[in-house]
Amino acid sequence: MAEYGVGGGLNTFVPTFSAATGQIQIEFTRSVNRFPITQYAQIVPVQQQSGYYLRIDEQETARVVNTQDLQWPLGEDRPTGINSDFEFNQFTTQRFQTSFHIPQETARQAQWDIVASHARIAAAKMMTHRSLRMATQLTTSSNYNTSGGSQNYYAAATDLVTGVNITSADGVQQIIRAAIERIVQNTVGAVSPKDILLIVNPTTARILATSEGVRDYVKNYPAAFSFLKGDDTFAAYGLPQTLFGLGGVVVDDTVRVTSRKGATDARSFLYGTASAPGMVFVSRPGGLIGNEGPSFSTATIFAYEDMTVETMDDPWNRRVRGSVTDNSATVLTAALSGLYIADANS
């Protein structure tokens, strides 16, 4: 005789979203204390997986070839002027996810919320993945101008400041000042020094912190004694929160494990190596959450799904299943407001 089943509370897939998703967003994607990417990349929530963002020709705000071009003599027709150039660039989000499953017996007998713990581990992996995607965008030379008057990619520090690298006397100061000057010039003043952040990894931070120029800077810093005590002002691996006119210094200590489970352990930081320490300068005016209008924020995350957490009870296999989904695009929305030095030690 045939047997029939009717959908009920024990055998119908009912995913849950809201509570865990909100908590994960608070703890990971919207908290500046967990993953450094939140300090230098702006999140823009979007309603469509594909869309356009507006890029304005920033040169028009400062194009004054001669004073006669703008003159309007009495009795003459009004000058026609020119149309400002607007460029619409497309973005398309990509969906990524990581899953976990827990035996029902384990979930029921654990003395803590083990499902939430696994969701946090999954969210940390997805944030590492997002950080890697953004680092790839920020360290790809073809995303910048590699020559000409608006050049903002340099294979070596000495290409930016002739004969200078981060180990030179006053080299750090000269490089930072030159990078600020280049970004302000490229954006015709739309980005100010206080909007510019320097991104380095801990290895590069150690080299910077022990350089002669930074040591002298710290010695003359009003809060120099805090450096010896390890106070928050110098918590970023011995570097002050601001340096030589920058808006801030972000030490991205995100660690990426590149080995499969059970294989020889392999892990590394983003943004360069000990032999080729990278320096990335970005602009992030405004807050963490942006809008879909034109922006001078260098790095933007268009988020269609911002770490959606889903869980389901699987009675047949006696386990709880869950996943964290990130559907987003990592984009350099205003590459001219950034600058990348691939090897600051050369």
Side-chain angles (χ1 to χ4, degrees), residues 153-170:
Y153 164 75
Y154 300 89
T158 189
D159 295 333
L160 176 62
V161 183
T162 304
V164 171
N165 60 45
I166 56 175
T167 61
S168 307
D170 294 326

PDB file of all heavy atoms in Angstrom, residues 153-170:
ATOM      1  N   TYR A 153      49.560  54.849  -9.997  1.00  0.00           N
ATOM      2  CA  TYR A 153      50.133  53.539  -9.713  1.00  0.00           C
ATOM      3  C   TYR A 153      51.642  53.634  -9.886  1.00  0.00           C
ATOM      4  O   TYR A 153      52.142  54.166 -10.886  1.00  0.00           O
ATOM      5  CB  TYR A 153      49.594  52.457 -10.650  1.00  0.00           C
ATOM      6  CG  TYR A 153      50.463  51.208 -10.623  1.00  0.00           C
ATOM      7  CD1 TYR A 153      50.397  50.338  -9.540  1.00  0.00           C
ATOM      8  CD2 TYR A 153      51.375  50.927 -11.646  1.00  0.00           C
ATOM      9  CE1 TYR A 153      51.223  49.223  -9.482  1.00  0.00           C
ATOM     10  CE2 TYR A 153      52.186  49.811 -11.590  1.00  0.00           C
ATOM     11  CZ  TYR A 153      52.107  48.958 -10.506  1.00  0.00           C
ATOM     12  OH  TYR A 153      52.931  47.859 -10.439  1.00  0.00           O
ATOM     13  N   TYR A 154      52.374  53.098  -8.911  1.00  0.00           N
ATOM     14  CA  TYR A 154      53.829  53.108  -8.957  1.00  0.00           C
ATOM     15  C   TYR A 154      54.343  51.732  -8.545  1.00  0.00           C
ATOM     16  O   TYR A 154      54.012  51.236  -7.469  1.00  0.00           O
ATOM     17  CB  TYR A 154      54.393  54.190  -8.025  1.00  0.00           C
ATOM     18  CG  TYR A 154      53.912  55.585  -8.391  1.00  0.00           C
ATOM     19  CD1 TYR A 154      52.733  56.089  -7.851  1.00  0.00           C
ATOM     20  CD2 TYR A 154      54.612  56.366  -9.302  1.00  0.00           C
ATOM     21  CE1 TYR A 154      52.268  57.350  -8.201  1.00  0.00           C
ATOM     22  CE2 TYR A 154      54.151  57.630  -9.658  1.00  0.00           C
ATOM     23  CZ  TYR A 154      52.990  58.117  -9.112  1.00  0.00           C
ATOM     24  OH  TYR A 154      52.528  59.362  -9.461  1.00  0.00           O
ATOM     25  N   ALA A 155      55.149  51.132  -9.412  1.00  0.00           N
ATOM     26  CA  ALA A 155      55.700  49.816  -9.106  1.00  0.00           C
ATOM     27  C   ALA A 155      56.646  49.879  -7.914  1.00  0.00           C
ATOM     28  O   ALA A 155      56.758  48.916  -7.142  1.00  0.00           O
ATOM     29  CB  ALA A 155      56.420  49.249 -10.331  1.00  0.00           C
ATOM     30  N   ALA A 156      57.305  51.009  -7.739  1.00  0.00           N
ATOM     31  CA  ALA A 156      58.251  51.193  -6.631  1.00  0.00           C
ATOM     32  C   ALA A 156      58.105  52.604  -6.077  1.00  0.00           C
ATOM     33  O   ALA A 156      57.678  53.526  -6.786  1.00  0.00           O
ATOM     34  CB  ALA A 156      59.680  50.947  -7.104  1.00  0.00           C
ATOM     35  N   ALA A 157      58.482  52.766  -4.810  1.00  0.00           N
ATOM     36  CA  ALA A 157      58.381  54.083  -4.177  1.00  0.00           C
ATOM     37  C   ALA A 157      59.259  55.108  -4.867  1.00  0.00           C
ATOM     38  O   ALA A 157      58.898  56.289  -4.968  1.00  0.00           O
ATOM     39  CB  ALA A 157      58.748  53.975  -2.697  1.00  0.00           C
ATOM     40  N   THR A 158      60.393  54.652  -5.352  1.00  0.00           N
ATOM     41  CA  THR A 158      61.315  55.592  -6.003  1.00  0.00           C
ATOM     42  C   THR A 158      60.745  56.142  -7.310  1.00  0.00           C
ATOM     43  O   THR A 158      61.228  57.152  -7.825  1.00  0.00           O
ATOM     44  CB  THR A 158      62.676  54.897  -6.261  1.00  0.00           C
ATOM     45  OG1 THR A 158      63.634  55.869  -6.695  1.00  0.00           O
ATOM     46  CG2 THR A 158      62.539  53.818  -7.324  1.00  0.00           C
ATOM     47  N   ASP A 159      59.715  55.488  -7.855  1.00  0.00           N
ATOM     48  CA  ASP A 159      59.057  56.037  -9.044  1.00  0.00           C
ATOM     49  C   ASP A 159      58.179  57.235  -8.690  1.00  0.00           C
ATOM     50  O   ASP A 159      57.899  58.077  -9.552  1.00  0.00           O
ATOM     51  CB  ASP A 159      58.197  54.957  -9.714  1.00  0.00           C
ATOM     52  CG  ASP A 159      59.017  53.803 -10.255  1.00  0.00           C
ATOM     53  OD1 ASP A 159      60.191  54.025 -10.590  1.00  0.00           O
ATOM     54  OD2 ASP A 159      58.489  52.669 -10.323  1.00  0.00           O
ATOM     55  N   LEU A 160      57.745  57.292  -7.433  1.00  0.00           N
ATOM     56  CA  LEU A 160      56.942  58.428  -6.964  1.00  0.00           C
ATOM     57  C   LEU A 160      57.832  59.559  -6.487  1.00  0.00           C
ATOM     58  O   LEU A 160      57.623  60.725  -6.835  1.00  0.00           O
ATOM     59  CB  LEU A 160      56.005  57.984  -5.832  1.00  0.00           C
ATOM     60  CG  LEU A 160      55.164  59.066  -5.161  1.00  0.00           C
ATOM     61  CD1 LEU A 160      54.216  59.719  -6.157  1.00  0.00           C
ATOM     62  CD2 LEU A 160      54.384  58.486  -3.982  1.00  0.00           C
ATOM     63  N   VAL A 161      58.822  59.215  -5.676  1.00  0.00           N
ATOM     64  CA  VAL A 161      59.810  60.196  -5.186  1.00  0.00           C
ATOM     65  C   VAL A 161      61.184  59.653  -5.553  1.00  0.00           C
ATOM     66  O   VAL A 161      61.630  58.644  -4.986  1.00  0.00           O
ATOM     67  CB  VAL A 161      59.704  60.399  -3.671  1.00  0.00           C
ATOM     68  CG1 VAL A 161      60.690  61.474  -3.219  1.00  0.00           C
ATOM     69  CG2 VAL A 161      58.292  60.772  -3.270  1.00  0.00           C
ATOM     70  N   THR A 162      61.840  60.285  -6.464  1.00  0.00           N
ATOM     71  CA  THR A 162      63.087  59.768  -7.016  1.00  0.00           C
ATOM     72  C   THR A 162      64.120  59.491  -5.933  1.00  0.00           C
ATOM     73  O   THR A 162      64.424  60.355  -5.098  1.00  0.00           O
ATOM     74  CB  THR A 162      63.671  60.762  -8.032  1.00  0.00           C
ATOM     75  OG1 THR A 162      62.692  61.022  -9.047  1.00  0.00           O
ATOM     76  CG2 THR A 162      64.931  60.212  -8.678  1.00  0.00           C
ATOM     77  N   GLY A 163      64.641  58.261  -5.938  1.00  0.00           N
ATOM     78  CA  GLY A 163      65.712  57.883  -5.023  1.00  0.00           C
ATOM     79  C   GLY A 163      65.284  57.654  -3.590  1.00  0.00           C
ATOM     80  O   GLY A 163      66.134  57.560  -2.706  1.00  0.00           O
ATOM     81  N   VAL A 164      63.972  57.537  -3.328  1.00  0.00           N
ATOM     82  CA  VAL A 164      63.480  57.430  -1.953  1.00  0.00           C
ATOM     83  C   VAL A 164      62.630  56.178  -1.796  1.00  0.00           C
ATOM     84  O   VAL A 164      61.829  55.836  -2.676  1.00  0.00           O
ATOM     85  CB  VAL A 164      62.636  58.670  -1.574  1.00  0.00           C
ATOM     86  CG1 VAL A 164      61.933  58.475  -0.234  1.00  0.00           C
ATOM     87  CG2 VAL A 164      63.520  59.911  -1.530  1.00  0.00           C
ATOM     88  N   ASN A 165      62.814  55.462  -0.675  1.00  0.00           N
ATOM     89  CA  ASN A 165      61.906  54.396  -0.283  1.00  0.00           C
ATOM     90  C   ASN A 165      61.656  54.505   1.214  1.00  0.00           C
ATOM     91  O   ASN A 165      62.143  55.444   1.864  1.00  0.00           O
ATOM     92  CB  ASN A 165      62.441  53.012  -0.670  1.00  0.00           C
ATOM     93  CG  ASN A 165      63.781  52.688  -0.025  1.00  0.00           C
ATOM     94  OD1 ASN A 165      63.979  52.910   1.165  1.00  0.00           O
ATOM     95  ND2 ASN A 165      64.713  52.171  -0.812  1.00  0.00           N
ATOM     96  N   ILE A 166      60.912  53.569   1.795  1.00  0.00           N
ATOM     97  CA  ILE A 166      60.503  53.728   3.191  1.00  0.00           C
ATOM     98  C   ILE A 166      61.651  53.533   4.171  1.00  0.00           C
ATOM     99  O   ILE A 166      61.504  53.855   5.362  1.00  0.00           O
ATOM    100  CB  ILE A 166      59.350  52.776   3.556  1.00  0.00           C
ATOM    101  CG1 ILE A 166      59.726  51.317   3.260  1.00  0.00           C
ATOM    102  CG2 ILE A 166      58.080  53.168   2.845  1.00  0.00           C
ATOM    103  CD1 ILE A 166      58.670  50.318   3.703  1.00  0.00           C
ATOM    104  N   THR A 167      62.789  53.026   3.716  1.00  0.00           N
ATOM    105  CA  THR A 167      63.936  52.883   4.616  1.00  0.00           C
ATOM    106  C   THR A 167      64.883  54.076   4.527  1.00  0.00           C
ATOM    107  O   THR A 167      65.845  54.158   5.293  1.00  0.00           O
ATOM    108  CB  THR A 167      64.705  51.588   4.297  1.00  0.00           C
ATOM    109  OG1 THR A 167      65.196  51.648   2.954  1.00  0.00           O
ATOM    110  CG2 THR A 167      63.802  50.370   4.458  1.00  0.00           C
ATOM    111  N   SER A 168      64.615  54.995   3.608  1.00  0.00           N
ATOM    112  CA  SER A 168      65.460  56.184   3.485  1.00  0.00           C
ATOM    113  C   SER A 168      65.194  57.140   4.637  1.00  0.00           C
ATOM    114  O   SER A 168      64.132  57.117   5.269  1.00  0.00           O
ATOM    115  CB  SER A 168      65.174  56.905   2.157  1.00  0.00           C
ATOM    116  OG  SER A 168      65.265  56.045   1.053  1.00  0.00           O
ATOM    117  N   ALA A 169      66.180  57.987   4.918  1.00  0.00           N
ATOM    118  CA  ALA A 169      65.977  59.023   5.922  1.00  0.00           C
ATOM    119  C   ALA A 169      64.843  59.941   5.461  1.00  0.00           C
ATOM    120  O   ALA A 169      64.886  60.466   4.343  1.00  0.00           O
ATOM    121  CB  ALA A 169      67.269  59.817   6.117  1.00  0.00           C
ATOM    122  N   ASP A 170      63.842  60.098   6.303  1.00  0.00           N
ATOM    123  CA  ASP A 170      62.649  60.897   5.973  1.00  0.00           C
ATOM    124  C   ASP A 170      61.902  60.348   4.767  1.00  0.00           C
ATOM    125  O   ASP A 170      61.067  61.046   4.172  1.00  0.00           O
ATOM    126  CB  ASP A 170      63.004  62.373   5.712  1.00  0.00           C
ATOM    127  CG  ASP A 170      63.509  63.083   6.964  1.00  0.00           C
ATOM    128  OD1 ASP A 170      63.023  62.735   8.065  1.00  0.00           O
ATOM    129  OD2 ASP A 170      64.389  63.948   6.841  1.00  0.00           O
TER     130      ASP A 170
END
